[in-house]
Amino acid sequence: MAKKAWLVPPQDADLLGLYCGLVDEYDRLGEAFPVSTTSFDLTSDSPLGSGERWHRIVRAMALRKFVLGANDHVRADKTLAALKRCMSDPADLRVLDRWQSDFEAIGTRVHMDEGADTKQSLADLLEDLIYGSYLHGDLERWNRTQARWQGSVDLTLWMFSEDAEHYIRRLRSVIRVAAAEGRLTAEATSRVLSGTNNTTKDESHG
């Protein structure tokens, strides 16, 4: 039985172009759902205002495909692997040595102590929130989120979105610079640069 079209991963060159285009699209979404909290105070009764919280929830759902979705073709580690395969000079791969470990650290560097010797990563908490409350209506995940202190959920939203956004924008920049400098295969360069007519944002975009 043939695979459904959306299950077939794009060719590496197409994936690089798609990834850059979708990060651009994420930035446009971010303009519609702006955030302003630049530091986090867990002692506050309401660490994130309701407007900021909803904006970060929307951003987190849009970020999911880049970081959490195991079956999503544009997940950043898959894009990173495609970038490595598209490098025309193997010597250039050394600049990407730490990128995989940096990706794996997103949402996993910090763990929340939930008592009874149970600790959950930020990625675990975020998936509970997204899949329990907004995407799938998973009862078990919903119950876990409802039992948590709001401050820990807010910290998860804040830290995850900050880390993930920084990573995906940096990766987009590396891909586009490599294409502009002729460090990618001709096909990959064509796919990546064909999308640069759209206005793009650098990694500091908020």
Side-chain angles (χ1 to χ4, degrees):
M1 183 177 178
K3 281 188 175 181
K4 294 180 179 179
W6 66 271
L7 290 175
V8 179
Q11 296 296 313
D12 289 340
D14 292 323
L15 176 56
L16 296 184
L18 175 63
Y19 175 86
C20 290
L22 289 181
V23 177
D24 291 346
E25 189 72 12
Y26 176 81
D27 282 342
R28 288 189 283 272
L29 178 144
E31 291 174 353
F33 297 91
V35 294
S36 59
T37 301
T38 56
S39 61
F40 204 90
D41 179 9
L42 273 178
T43 64
S44 171
D45 291 335
S46 182
L48 293 179
S50 60
E52 175 103 0
R53 181 180 296 118
W54 281 113
H55 286 193
R56 288 195 181 269
I57 287 170
V58 171
R59 285 176 173 230
M61 288 191 287
L63 282 168
R64 173 195 169 279
K65 62 182 173 290
F66 296 118
V67 182
L68 299 176
N71 295 321
D72 288 310
H73 303 314
V74 293
R75 203 172 78 169
D77 59 336
K78 297 179 183 180
T79 305
L80 175 63
L83 172 61
K84 291 178 178 179
R85 291 190 292 268
C86 287
M87 290 291 224
S88 55
D89 185 352
D92 288 334
L93 293 175
R94 66 183 183 276
V95 304
L96 301 174
D97 284 346
R98 295 186 57 183
W99 280 74
Q100 180 63 32
S101 60
D102 288 347
F103 171 82
E104 293 168 358
I106 298 172
T108 62
R109 289 179 297 180
V110 175
H111 288 73
M112 296 291 187
D113 188 345
E114 299 201 311
D117 296 323
T118 300
K119 291 187 177 182
Q120 299 290 338
S121 71
L122 297 184
D124 293 330
L125 269 67
L126 187 74
E127 287 189 310
D128 282 350
L129 176 66
I130 291 175
Y131 294 122
S133 301
Y134 305 111
L135 295 182
H136 296 166
D138 184 305
L139 177 60
E140 185 176 351
R141 290 182 181 278
W142 160 264
N143 286 336
R144 285 199 296 263
T145 298
Q146 293 302 300
R148 287 178 178 128
W149 176 47
Q150 184 63 55
S152 67
V153 177
D154 285 355
L155 176 60
T156 296
L157 284 168
W158 179 79
M159 185 173 289
F160 175 85
S161 59
E162 292 289 314
D163 288 352
E165 287 175 357
H166 182 64
Y167 186 95
I168 67 171
R169 289 172 178 147
R170 284 176 58 222
L171 181 56
R172 176 187 57 188
S173 294
V174 168
I175 293 170
R176 284 193 166 141
V177 168
E181 293 180 350
R183 297 179 183 274
L184 304 182
T185 63
E187 184 180 11
T189 297
S190 174
R191 297 294 189 277
V192 171
L193 295 184
S194 67
T196 58
N197 291 330
N198 296 323
T199 302
T200 60
K201 307 293 189 292
D202 64 28
E203 64 195 39
S204 66
H205 184 91

